Amino acid sequence: MSILLVIVLFAVAAVAEIGGAWLVWQSVRENQPWWWAGLGVMALGAYGFVATLQPDAHFGRILAAYGGVFVVGSLAWGMAVDGFRPDRWDLIGSAVCLAGVAVIMFGPRSTS
């Protein structure tokens, strides 16, 4: 399994899912046009397809690991787009999440 491929696919999935959710949020909560929500729904659908491109064939493993990527990506999105400033607990939690992603995706597996 290519580590770079896994990382790139998780990054693309995060942009699609977090960006899609953000667009829906903006439409519903921030009075942006209704079609922003439509774009958000399409981005969320794209996220579902991107996840299927991961080299590991186990749905549960991919989604569990992606959960950690989502946590980190959400905080990064908030910083980049909404001016959010994480505190030390956000940063510590993000590090724990990324460690979990690494263990889930790249830990040694038995071949049987």
Side-chain angles (χ1 to χ4, degrees):
M1 169 174 15
S2 165
I3 293 173
L4 181 59
L5 177 62
V6 168
I7 292 168
V8 168
L9 287 172
F10 274 148
V12 171
V15 169
E17 185 181 19
I18 298 163
W22 183 83
L23 285 165
V24 172
W25 179 283
Q26 292 298 306
S27 179
V28 173
R29 303 268 313 250
E30 304 295 334
N31 299 315
Q32 294 299 331
W34 64 267
W35 53 267
W36 281 39
L39 291 174
V41 169
M42 288 189 287
L44 289 165
Y47 151 75
F49 285 99
V50 171
T52 68
L53 301 175
Q54 285 287 355
D56 191 295
H58 298 91
F59 175 82
R61 181 175 296 142
I62 297 302
L63 269 285
Y66 176 69
V69 173
F70 180 81
V71 169
V72 174
S74 296
L75 292 173
W77 185 280
M79 290 172 58
V81 177
D82 289 328
F84 172 74
R85 295 292 167 244
D87 62 21
R88 68 179 167 179
W89 301 108
D90 295 323
L91 298 175
I92 292 167
S94 293
V96 169
C97 288
L98 287 180
V101 170
V103 169
I104 291 169
M105 292 303 295
F106 307 119
R109 306 253 185 252
S110 64
T111 57
S112 57

